[in-house]
Amino acid sequence: MSTVKEAYKEIENIIGSEYISDKDFMKAAYSRNVDPAFPDRWADMIVRPETTEQVSEIVKIANKFKIPMVPRGGGADLVGGSVTKGGILIDLTRMNKIIEINEDDFYCEVECGITWGNLVSELHQKGLTTGVLGPGSGFSATIGGGLSNSTAGFGSTKYGVVPDICLGVEVVLPNPQGTIIRTGAAANKYANPFCRYGVSPDFTGLFMGDVGTMGIKTKAFLKLFPKTPYKAQRYYMLNKNDYNKVVDLLYKLRREVRDGLHDVLVVPLALLQILSMMVENKPAKRPRLKGPVFSILVEAMDQGILDLHLKKVSEIMENDTRSFEYQEMDLDAPLSKDWKFNLKYAYNYFNKYISIVPPKISCTTCHKIPISEIPKAAQLSNEFDIQNKGEFPSQSISLFATVIFLMPNGHCVIVGGFNADNIDEQREISMKMWHKKLRNQVRYGGVHYWLGEAISQSIVEADAYTPEFVQFFKDMKKAVDPNFLLSPNKFHMYSYNDDITKYIIKNEE
Amino acid sequence: MQIIRSLWQGKLELSKDMAEVIYQCPTCNACAEACAYEMDNALMYEALRAELIDAGCGLEAHIPMNKAMVELLNPYERDNKQKNEWISKLDFEIKDAYSEKADVLFFVGCTAALTPEIQTVAINTAKILKKLNVDFAVHGEKEVCCGSVALRTGNWEAFNSVALKNYELFKKSGVKTIITSCAGCYRTLKVNYADFLEDLNIKVLHTVEFIRNFIEQNDIEMKQFGINVTYHDPCHTGRNAGDTPLYEEPRELLRKIANLVEMKTIKENSKCCGAGGGVKKGFPDLALEIAKSRIREAEATGAEYIVSICPFCYRNLSDAIKALNSDIKMADLTGLINKALG
């Protein structure tokens, strides 16, 4: 009997035959995430544990037979995160329970396979929120996936990325013992998981944004906030297409409106022009599109305070912008005064900026830069696209940004990338160009967040890490994963003996 | 979707094992609603199921049901003459659409006509129409299944067979308006029969839609019972009803006769009852579990009744109420309206 078959039998004894499969159609169902840039990859088996202890037993068996394993949440990432060619794919979505919502001390304990949508809708009924509500795919994306990808999403301008609300995690380490640990305050066996720092070094951070390479997160302890009852949306169009002015206004908003800002998005002119062409219900008069549109969502605990925020926003924007309504280009779009929060808005508003013309291969290059560097990054990005014009897949549209999303303190997420036809012939060209564009961003100082396979490898290829850092990374991974079984391929790591400097692409600057 | 893609790419073979998984979906299309892209996932599932059937891999449990639909004209494997039973329980005569002309054809549907505990849906609908002085007729034992369950389970041959018979019946009746109290029949006639009903210039309305319009136009009063009720949106009249989902019509009527207390998930986000897509027949335990989840949601509202406009939802939710030993009561909206009209 092959080792895979033996492992299958042993895992089946742990989780039951209903929750393990090596059938081809099940492997096909799990062969990709929302990432058509990648080829299909079939695991050897799909397993669906229900408890941390079961995950631990699976890890022990994987170690016994030296079979690689990859954890998977909602499978909603775009960068090749949670698929594996061969090995054990661990689907964690049965671990979807809310263990505790502590309404008095503002924290919760949940299993990592619960979706953002399910958790947030439970919290909202109790007048609570996680602040950042997870990624745009939050109806299917899980808490564990959000933590592994350091995700930004609705609420990120005020509340930051998902790890910023994390108070600790329960993790199964991928070692032969399948060790279960808890981090944050929960590392103190006498304490409730109410805060992150103080018991030990911040080992929670080891598992944030790790793309599932350092451990299998089974539970998460998250900060909660009282839900803010008053919210309002306003749109302003810049009078000219000028990123220097975007920078000025983002600074002013950050300095003068501060915590009143829930989300600030800037939609570049190029994207507005594309979106206006795609509108079904067009107005008779062509829209006057002169510059980027600021979408500003403010929130407050009191209507009077909300009005003050809106007044301040209006004062900041009045000299350089005009009030804008999406109805100017789309008669079906709601007016800003009619805007109301709902989960569908939180989880769907972002998606149209990610792949503007589906179904396409979507090579997303979401990365963070300081506000001050927006104009320079835009210029470098455009120069890159021009210089490499002949290397993009045919019919591809490449954009520096489809949206610029203000984050806490003084930085922002540049959501951008390029697309290509979803056909096999374009997949290799797209992947090559994707990595090249990502390397370019890494070299101008861009910091990505959902790393998956494509981005984590591109960081290595760009020679971003010092040899000392690479050694530190390997040492840390070896401490938790001595047999190198968890999520191989990420960061171009294929074994501890492999020299990842051979993947560095030189002479591109 | 990846399974469909892999089949299309020739990487997978259709199989009975695959069918066991594919048929566990009630095709409620909630996933399509949650997705940012406009894809009709239920339609793709139906197409995949048709492929499974063509390859001889359909679900065994569905075979007698679809066979009966073709041979007996109903999927319940019953003599179609039993569709007259509910009519005999009325204390007034109704027109036979086969031989008499009427303004409106009441398409009863197999579930309401042939399930004794749900015949009240047909009876109450007829009583309402009578009270409103609507000139209507039914086909009784000649009524042919709309074919909904065949379509949802991928048996297009069975669907085509009954659809053609219905076309002939509708044509012969000369009717211009069809109403039905069954959400499944409503969707099938409205969406899947759309092309040929347009040929015949026939309009399809759910009974609640018809009553709402009628009451509004004729300024008819209804009794307010003052009871707390919650409303379950059938997938067939909601997410799967094409461009004209019936979200407001039943609610408007309910607010006139009761206090409507909404559940956590409603309208396009409504949880499914779990019966559709052949799941009740193929996987009754799964259907019951899904229904239990919906009943728990209804219980949380504190309502006395959970009301719907679909005999099949009625049946599955009633089963869940029984299984949970719940205090909440199941009601079809036609029953409440009939009472409210005095």
Side-chain angles (χ1 to χ4, degrees):
Chain A
M1 194 188 281
S2 71
T3 52
V4 170
K5 287 274 177 212
E6 281 185 67
Y8 185 100
K9 282 276 165 215
E10 291 197 19
I11 296 173
E12 189 177 24
N13 288 338
I14 303 293
I15 60 175
S17 55
E18 278 185 50
Y19 299 109
I20 182 167
S21 179
D22 59 359
K23 292 191 163 49
D24 278 355
F25 65 88
M26 290 302 288
K27 292 177 185 174
Y30 283 88
S31 64
R32 289 199 323 189
N33 303 322
V34 198
D35 52 8
F38 292 87
D40 298 358
R41 283 175 284 188
W42 290 18
D44 285 325
M45 67 186 90
I46 320 295
V47 302
R48 303 190 66 218
E50 194 184 15
T51 65
T52 304
E53 289 69 30
Q54 286 182 352
V55 174
S56 173
E57 292 302 317
I58 292 165
V59 165
K60 285 181 201 170
I61 295 164
N63 271 276
K64 181 178 164 186
F65 294 100
K66 305 283 188 295
I67 298 173
M69 49 195 160
V70 171
R72 186 183 197 268
D77 87 288
L78 289 148
V79 286
S82 51
V83 285
T84 172
K85 188 173 181 184
I88 304 167
L89 188 67
I90 306 174
D91 173 357
L92 291 156
T93 54
R94 281 180 75 213
M95 299 187 65
N96 59 0
K97 292 175 218 46
I98 296 173
I99 294 158
E100 183 189 8
I101 295 174
N102 193 314
E103 297 180 53
D104 299 321
D105 296 330
F106 295 104
Y107 69 84
C108 67
E109 178 177 349
V110 299
E111 290 185 333
C112 281
I114 190 171
T115 63
W116 286 93
N118 279 339
L119 174 61
V120 171
S121 58
E122 281 301 312
L123 291 173
H124 278 195
Q125 287 187 82
K126 298 176 187 297
L128 296 166
T129 174
T130 49
V132 52
L133 301 189
S137 50
F139 281 130
S140 54
T142 62
I143 301 294
L147 295 169
S148 297
N149 287 293
S150 293
T151 298
F154 187 78
S156 277
T157 297
K158 182 168 180 176
Y159 299 94
V161 291
V162 167
D164 292 335
I165 60 160
C166 185
L167 301 171
V169 282
E170 178 187 81
V171 185
V172 177
L173 301 180
N175 60 23
Q177 300 77 33
T179 306
I180 300 167
I181 61 161
R182 286 155 77 94
T183 68
N188 173 354
K189 63 185 180 188
Y190 306 109
N192 289 321
F194 63 90
C195 69
R196 176 157 167 180
Y197 305 103
V199 180
S200 69
D202 177 30
F203 289 126
T204 304
L206 196 62
F207 306 101
M208 302 292 106
D210 70 329
V211 215
T213 58
M214 303 301 279
I216 302 171
K217 290 178 274 294
T218 48
K219 292 194 184 89
F221 319 115
L222 303 175
K223 278 184 201 173
L224 299 178
F225 303 88
K227 203 167 77 170
T228 311
Y230 298 94
K231 287 185 171 70
Q233 179 83 271
R234 294 291 182 271
Y235 305 112
Y236 297 92
M237 179 177 281
L238 206 58
N239 295 333
K240 55 182 179 177
N241 193 19
D242 180 359
Y243 278 127
N244 289 307
K245 191 48 77 180
V246 169
V247 170
D248 287 348
L249 291 172
L250 288 177
Y251 278 151
K252 279 186 189 163
L253 287 165
R254 175 52 79 210
R255 284 199 183 102
E256 296 177 34
V257 193
R258 300 188 185 191
D259 275 358
L261 297 174
H262 185 279
D263 281 311
V264 177
L265 285 81
V266 182
V267 181
L269 178 62
L271 186 78
L272 289 168
Q273 288 164 337
I274 293 171
L275 290 176
S276 73
M277 285 188 286
M278 292 164 63
V279 164
E280 280 179 22
N281 194 4
K282 289 179 182 165
K285 207 173 137 192
R286 280 182 65 185
R288 286 169 46 245
L289 305 175
K290 287 188 170 178
V293 164
F294 281 69
S295 167
I296 302 171
L297 179 61
V298 292
E299 71 168 12
M301 289 302 290
D302 176 275
Q303 183 64 50
I305 296 170
L306 188 81
D307 291 342
L308 281 175
H309 288 328
L310 288 172
K311 186 166 171 270
K312 181 53 81 180
V313 167
S314 171
E315 284 168 8
I316 292 167
M317 305 304 283
E318 67 182 347
N319 289 333
D320 302 299
T321 68
R322 66 174 179 87
S323 284
F324 176 76
E325 292 292 350
Y326 275 95
Q327 272 197 4
E328 292 177 31
M329 49 188 255
D330 180 358
L331 292 172
D332 293 334
L335 290 168
S336 54
K337 71 176 174 59
D338 298 326
W339 180 88
K340 278 196 176 66
F341 171 80
N342 61 46
L343 277 188
K344 200 160 179 182
Y345 177 84
Y347 292 140
N348 285 0
Y349 82 112
F350 213 72
N351 300 39
K352 67 180 172 191
Y353 305 122
I354 288 182
S355 180
I356 50 174
V357 192
K360 292 266 184 179
I361 290 173
S362 181
C363 298
T364 59
T365 57
C366 305
H367 63 297
K368 296 178 278 191
I369 56 171
I371 294 172
S372 60
E373 291 185 14
I374 295 173
K376 186 181 126 202
Q379 187 195 334
L380 289 172
S381 177
N382 290 337
E383 282 173 10
F384 174 87
D385 288 353
I386 292 164
Q387 281 163 12
N388 294 279
K389 202 176 167 188
E391 294 180 47
F392 279 98
S394 58
Q395 311 295 321
S396 166
I397 301 172
S398 177
L399 291 171
F400 159 63
T402 50
V403 70
I404 298 169
F405 196 150
L406 181 63
M407 298 296 284
N409 66 300
H411 74 289
C412 54
V413 168
I414 308 293
V415 177
F418 66 91
N419 62 11
D421 289 333
N422 188 0
I423 51 174
D424 284 341
E425 299 79 67
Q426 293 212 349
R427 224 172 298 282
E428 202 180 322
I429 304 168
S430 305
M431 188 60 78
K432 207 172 148 193
M433 199 58 214
W434 192 10
H435 278 234
K436 192 171 184 180
K437 195 168 168 72
L438 289 164
R439 292 195 294 270
N440 179 254
Q441 293 169 343
V442 172
R443 287 182 183 127
Y444 68 57
V447 171
H448 299 78
Y449 51 103
W450 54 0
L451 304 181
E453 191 175 285
I455 301 184
S456 69
Q457 291 181 350
S458 298
I459 296 170
V460 171
E461 291 163 14
D463 197 14
Y465 301 138
T466 63
E468 293 78 9
F469 182 85
V470 171
Q471 192 55 52
F472 171 75
F473 194 166
K474 279 188 178 179
D475 289 347
M476 296 300 284
K477 183 162 170 63
K478 202 168 185 176
V480 294
D481 185 10
N483 288 320
F484 197 81
L485 296 178
L486 191 65
S487 300
N489 299 352
K490 313 287 181 343
F491 302 96
H492 271 310
M493 280 195 211
Y494 305 99
S495 78
Y496 292 122
N497 299 324
D498 197 26
D499 175 13
I500 67 169
T501 59
K502 70 183 178 202
Y503 302 106
I504 294 169
I505 311 278
K506 291 180 179 150
N507 306 319
E508 269 190 330
E509 287 92 307
Chain B
M1 292 308 127
Q2 294 302 342
I3 291 176
I4 294 172
R5 198 168 157 272
S6 295
L7 282 165
W8 180 55
Q9 291 174 334
K11 294 177 184 171
L12 272 182
E13 297 281 323
L14 294 158
S15 66
K16 291 257 179 198
D17 278 351
M18 186 191 292
E20 281 288 319
V21 173
I22 298 301
Y23 278 101
Q24 289 186 37
C25 171
T27 60
C28 74
N29 241 347
C31 53
E33 194 58 46
C35 183
Y37 298 134
E38 285 179 18
M39 295 200 297
D40 190 337
N41 295 341
L43 199 63
M44 283 194 247
Y45 257 64
E46 285 169 20
L48 175 54
R49 289 169 178 192
E51 293 289 327
L52 283 163
I53 285 183
D54 280 354
C57 300
L59 211 61
E60 294 293 325
H62 292 156
I63 293 172
M65 170 182 85
N66 287 324
K67 189 166 177 269
M69 183 186 295
V70 176
E71 292 172 0
L72 303 172
L73 308 181
N74 70 78
Y76 289 100
E77 300 171 61
R78 307 263 289 278
D79 185 336
N80 221 41
K81 282 185 179 150
Q82 291 176 30
K83 284 185 176 172
N84 280 333
E85 254 180 31
W86 70 273
I87 301 171
S88 66
K89 292 175 184 168
L90 295 172
D91 56 4
F92 55 88
E93 294 289 315
I94 49 177
K95 284 185 179 175
D96 179 353
Y98 199 72
S99 53
E100 297 170 88
K101 294 279 172 206
D103 293 341
V104 171
L105 172 67
F106 169 30
F107 190 92
V108 179
C110 304
T111 305
L114 295 172
T115 317
E117 60 272 31
I118 306 176
Q119 278 179 354
T120 49
V121 175
I123 293 166
N124 287 323
T125 304
K127 286 181 175 173
I128 294 168
L129 295 174
K130 171 86 174 160
K131 284 175 187 174
L132 298 177
N133 289 319
V134 176
D135 177 31
F136 74 100
V138 296
H139 272 122
E141 67 179 67
K142 292 193 179 61
E143 186 178 283
V144 178
C145 176
C146 68
S148 173
V149 75
L151 203 54
R152 312 303 158 217
T153 56
N155 194 327
W156 289 359
E157 205 179 317
F159 172 76
N160 288 337
S161 163
V162 292
L164 282 171
K165 288 187 173 79
N166 272 316
Y167 177 80
E168 292 305 328
L169 271 178
F170 297 159
K171 193 176 173 183
K172 183 179 179 305
S173 72
V175 75
K176 293 297 164 211
T177 302
I178 297 176
I179 65 165
T180 178
S181 298
C182 173
C185 299
Y186 170 77
R187 172 197 178 183
T188 308
L189 297 177
K190 180 111 182 172
V191 179
N192 305 113
Y193 282 43
D195 286 347
F196 77 66
L197 289 190
E198 200 180 310
D199 277 356
L200 298 175
N201 198 21
I202 294 175
K203 189 167 66 175
V204 177
L205 298 168
H206 192 283
T207 307
V208 296
E209 204 178 357
F210 180 83
I211 297 169
R212 197 279 309 256
N213 296 345
F214 196 94
I215 283 177
E216 203 174 274
Q217 284 156 16
N218 297 283
D219 205 16
I220 291 167
E221 287 289 312
M222 291 198 291
K223 189 179 166 190
Q224 168 60 255
F225 298 114
I227 50 170
N228 289 338
V229 300
T230 193
Y231 177 70
H232 167 75
D233 293 278
C235 308
H236 288 310
T237 54
R239 287 184 290 265
N240 286 325
D243 297 333
T244 51
L246 303 178
Y247 294 130
E248 295 310 324
E249 293 81 351
R251 287 179 167 80
E252 279 177 34
L253 287 170
L254 268 176
R255 285 193 194 98
K256 285 181 197 290
I257 59 179
N259 305 320
L260 176 63
V261 200
E262 293 283 16
M263 282 186 269
K264 185 178 148 194
T265 62
I266 59 168
K267 300 180 185 176
E268 66 271 22
N269 300 314
S270 177
K271 268 188 190 171
C272 171
C273 80
V279 174
K280 181 85 176 162
K281 188 76 179 171
F283 303 93
D285 292 345
L286 174 63
L288 188 62
E289 282 309 307
I290 299 172
K292 281 182 187 172
S293 164
R294 187 57 165 163
I295 290 300
R296 287 191 196 102
E297 209 179 320
E299 286 173 333
T301 65
E304 198 177 329
Y305 286 90
I306 174 170
V307 183
S308 197
I309 56 170
C310 172
F312 214 47
C313 294
Y314 185 110
R315 189 175 150 202
N316 204 36
L317 292 172
S318 297
D319 288 349
I321 289 170
K322 219 176 284 174
L324 288 168
N325 202 18
S326 173
D327 289 334
I328 204 162
K329 296 189 266 290
M330 185 73 221
D332 189 88
L333 183 53
T334 52
L336 295 181
I337 292 171
N338 181 42
K339 276 188 197 159
L341 286 171

